[in-house]
Amino acid sequence: MDYIFETRMMVRDYECDIEGIVNNANYLHYAEHTRHLFLRRCGLSFADMHRRGTDAVVARMNLQYKTPLRSDDEFISRLALKKEGLRYVFHQDIFRASDGKLCFRGVIDVVCLVNGKLAVSRDIDRALMDMENKKE
């Protein structure tokens, strides 16, 4: 996978269920936080985009849970991104930092509503182009 962004996080006690592992819903929070940090790094803010009439919304998710994370585990959340028509397809993997084991894999399709209508986001497209230009 050709990742373009990564961030480190730590599991907090309250994110674990009675079995002592991270509750599955929290992986969605980790993935969303990673997308927000990525866009911030690109100079974009969900709040600013919303004020200008663009809302990026999740349209579909394909999730795989591999190796559980536990309280106090540090993990690395990595992101790759492709554009397919109107969809921005985020490939997101989470690895336990201590041993590099894959814990979570997600493919998250995001679409944009621009002034309430399905459309491409010029802001996100520009950020993607900037990322591509930086790789060259």
Side-chain angles (χ1 to χ4, degrees), residues 38-119:
F38 164 72
L39 288 176
R40 187 179 303 153
R41 182 190 218 189
C42 294
L44 298 175
S45 153
F46 271 100
D48 289 342
M49 288 173 57
H50 174 75
R51 282 191 285 277
R52 291 192 315 269
T54 298
D55 293 303
V57 296
V58 171
R60 180 180 10 200
M61 294 181 167
N62 182 347
L63 312 173
Q64 298 175 37
Y65 299 92
K66 300 294 192 174
T67 302
L69 288 168
R70 298 182 181 282
S71 184
D72 295 332
D73 277 347
E74 184 179 8
F75 61 91
I76 303 161
S77 181
R78 294 185 172 124
L79 175 151
L81 176 58
K82 293 183 181 184
K83 185 172 179 200
E84 296 178 1
L86 294 176
R87 294 180 298 138
Y88 301 91
V89 182
F90 290 85
H91 295 264
Q92 295 187 247
D93 295 335
I94 293 175
F95 299 89
R96 189 167 49 213
S98 63
D99 60 8
K101 283 198 174 187
L102 177 65
C103 299
F104 169 86
R105 173 161 281 160
V107 179
I108 295 97
D109 292 357
V110 172
V111 296
C112 291
L113 300 175
V114 178
N115 298 318
K117 295 182 181 174
L118 188 62

Side-chain angles (χ1 to χ4, degrees), residues 23-36:
N23 179 278
N24 60 1
N26 286 306
Y27 290 92
L28 303 179
H29 294 283
Y30 301 154
E32 183 171 25
H33 187 62
T34 301
R35 291 192 303 277
H36 284 233

